[in-house]
Amino acid sequence: MSDRTPRVDQPRELRRRLIRRPSSMSSEAFGVLSEKFARFMGTPRFLIWMTIFVAVWLAWNTFVPEGAQFDPRALNYTLLTLILSLQASYAAPLILLAQNRQDDRDRVALEQDRVQAERALADTEYLTREVAALRIALRDAATRDFVRSELRSLLEEMEEKGLEVRLREQQETLDDPKG
């Protein structure tokens, strides 16, 4: 391998540029500026000002004496056409840049929403399993009504046995001649 061949396991060396980019104009700052421009172009204010500009331009170059016209009607408003074409040629890429940045933000937000939904699903499944385990455990556990019914039946049995014992004792005292 020669020394000029770039290696993928090492970072690239910084190259000097012929034209230096202004330090205040990073790609992020330019993106923010393009988004602001795209937002402004989509407002009624821009459309109204652009309509006023074109109307004044057309009125001036149509009704003012020919010597004062700077874009005469005879030349089909060539300068106005060039200005509007230039404005459109800059507006379209700036709007696309702003749209791409918005798409990137939407993609990140969608990924975060997907991760959050996966966590919510995992939490819901865990809680479902826990509730099912509690239901199974409660089937084997004694409820308050079950314990009360068991205590009542035991009390009735004890009362019956106690009654039997008393009856036997009374019988024995009656049968016993000493008594």
Side-chain angles (χ1 to χ4, degrees):
M1 257 198 204
S2 71
D3 291 338
R4 304 289 275 162
T5 307
R7 294 184 51 181
V8 292
D9 63 337
Q10 295 178 350
R12 284 191 203 178
E13 292 182 27
L14 293 176
R15 289 190 273 168
R16 300 185 114 208
R17 295 181 185 227
L18 294 176
I19 300 174
R20 297 186 75 190
R21 182 176 21 188
S23 61
S24 65
M25 197 52 136
S26 67
S27 61
E28 181 66 22
F30 186 75
V32 169
L33 184 67
S34 69
E35 286 177 345
K36 287 180 181 178
F37 181 75
R39 281 193 192 103
F40 173 69
M41 288 190 71
T43 62
R45 177 186 294 171
F46 172 79
L47 293 174
I48 290 170
W49 282 111
M50 190 62 148
T51 304
I52 291 171
F53 172 77
V54 170
V56 168
W57 185 289
L58 291 174
W60 181 270
N61 288 295
T62 302
F63 301 116
V64 170
E66 205 168 303
Q69 293 177 358
F70 52 88
D71 190 16
R73 181 176 185 191
L75 297 176
N76 295 323
Y77 305 110
T78 307
L79 188 56
L80 177 63
T81 304
L82 288 173
I83 288 174
L84 292 177
S85 296
L86 181 67
Q87 184 264 336
S89 68
Y90 275 98
L94 289 174
I95 290 169
L96 288 174
L97 177 63
Q99 184 178 4
N100 288 341
R101 287 173 52 90
Q102 184 62 44
D103 289 344
D104 292 341
R105 280 194 298 273
D106 291 345
R107 197 174 301 113
V108 168
L110 183 66
E111 180 64 23
Q112 289 173 347
D113 289 346
R114 188 188 62 75
V115 168
Q116 186 177 5
E118 284 178 356
R119 274 194 223 129
L121 180 63
D123 290 346
T124 303
E125 288 174 351
Y126 172 76
L127 290 173
T128 302
R129 287 191 300 273
E130 289 297 312
V131 167
L134 285 173
R135 284 184 176 167
I136 290 170
L138 282 177
R139 284 186 194 142
D140 296 337
T143 62
R144 180 175 40 177
D145 293 336
F146 174 76
V147 171
R148 283 182 178 168
S149 67
E150 289 294 312
L151 287 174
R152 279 191 199 112
S153 65
L154 282 173
L155 183 60
E156 288 172 0
E157 282 181 36
M158 289 174 66
E159 285 176 349
E160 286 176 12
K161 286 185 180 182
L163 185 59
E164 288 175 9
V165 168
R166 274 189 239 126
L167 286 174
R168 247 190 267 141
E169 286 177 354
Q170 285 178 357
Q171 188 72 23
E172 287 177 3
T173 52
L174 290 175
D175 290 344
D176 189 17
K178 291 182 190 176

